[in-house]
Amino acid sequence: MSGTSGTNEPSEPSEPTENPRRLRVVVADDQAAVREPLAAVLGLSDDIDVVAAAADGSEVLTAVAAGPVDVVLMDLRMPVLDGIETTRRLGEAYPEVAVVVLTTFADDDSILGALSAGARGYLTKNAGRQDIIRAIRAAAAGQSVLDREVQDRLLATVRAKAPVLGQALPEDLTPREREVLTLIGRGLPNRGIAEKLFISEATVKTHINNLFAKAGIRDRADAVRRAIEAGLA
């Protein structure tokens, strides 16, 4: 598997501490040849316990009900109950459980459907092990990650569907917060924003948290949309 780079709302996950709490993860994929090796590889991480491996959405819901579960690593195309509907049901019944999509599909309907259903992250199956682990950690911390291909596709889709540019942003946004929103709209991850503005990633995270609170922005995808609508990206 090759690496990925795009990140999503509100910031990139922190490096693990010396004694991190172990994250309880369900791996869902209808193909045993994918599901079982992935579960085994993730289980090698010092802060992840794979508590169940599910072949469809119904098995995911059963595993989460048996809980506790922190994150579901979710395939989209599964029999019985697909990944998008499963994500939606999890959000309704178990809002504390984060979903990270891991799929071969990066079409508009799949991306927008999964994010609208409540997925916190979206990776394609060319993601590397460390990319997947970072996304799981981020999701457990209330953050999210989009892989670069997905972020580029999302940007193109939002731009194509954006209404008339110039929609107002809150007047109390600082110049720096506007700069950060502009760079989010251009698809830069937190690390790229920090390098562009010559500030630390921690400072970027602070600006993003403030920006999201002031503008009522839900997540990174929403921030991209708002940047485009405001004519910043």
Side-chain angles (χ1 to χ4, degrees):
M1 295 183 183
S2 63
T4 60
S5 58
T7 62
N8 191 41
E9 177 272 343
S11 58
E12 292 180 332
S14 303
E15 290 301 315
T17 58
E18 288 186 8
N19 297 295
R21 182 177 73 80
R22 296 182 69 84
L23 301 175
R24 296 157 298 211
V25 175
V26 172
V27 174
D29 196 294
D30 64 328
Q31 298 182 34
V34 174
R35 181 176 69 248
E36 294 172 4
L38 181 56
V41 167
L42 292 177
L44 298 175
S45 174
D46 61 5
D47 63 343
I48 292 176
D49 284 327
V50 177
V51 297
D56 58 54
S58 178
E59 291 185 7
V60 170
L61 295 177
T62 298
V64 172
V69 172
D70 297 302
V71 180
V72 176
L73 191 62
M74 185 85 74
D75 189 21
L76 289 185
R77 308 292 171 87
M78 297 184 293
V80 183
L81 194 63
D82 67 29
I84 290 177
E85 180 58 26
T86 305
T87 299
R88 185 174 293 109
R89 294 190 189 185
L90 286 174
E92 293 172 352
Y94 306 97
E96 73 281 6
V97 177
V99 173
V100 174
V101 170
L102 181 65
T103 181
T104 56
F105 301 96
D107 58 280
D108 293 351
D109 288 344
S110 295
I111 295 169
L112 296 175
L115 295 178
S116 296
R120 289 188 190 164
Y122 198 112
L123 305 177
T124 55
K125 286 183 178 176
N126 64 351
R129 172 178 174 267
Q130 289 303 319
D131 297 304
I132 296 171
I133 289 173
R134 281 193 290 269
I136 289 171
R137 290 172 179 161
Q143 306 165 10
S144 47
V145 171
L146 295 180
D147 114 349
R148 174 57 63 186
E149 178 184 356
V150 170
Q151 179 139 334
D152 288 347
R153 188 68 179 256
L154 183 61
L155 281 168
T157 300
V158 173
R159 286 193 175 107
K161 295 181 178 181
V164 177
L165 298 180
Q167 181 170 314
L169 291 168
E171 293 182 1
D172 60 345
L173 288 189
T174 67
R176 181 63 90 190
E177 288 163 357
R178 285 179 176 271
E179 285 181 305
V180 169
L181 181 58
T182 298
L183 295 176
I184 290 175
R186 293 175 183 172
L188 270 69
N190 286 7
R191 185 175 295 109
I193 294 172
E195 292 172 353
K196 188 80 171 178
L197 298 180
F198 302 101
I199 56 179
S200 70
E201 285 189 62
T203 301
V204 171
K205 293 175 186 178
T206 297
H207 287 314
I208 289 176
N209 288 334
N210 292 339
L211 164 65
F212 280 26
K214 290 179 181 178
I217 294 173
R218 298 185 306 274
D219 52 34
R220 198 87 168 200
D222 192 33
V224 170
R225 179 183 63 79
R226 292 292 296 278
I228 292 170
E229 290 176 351
L232 299 178

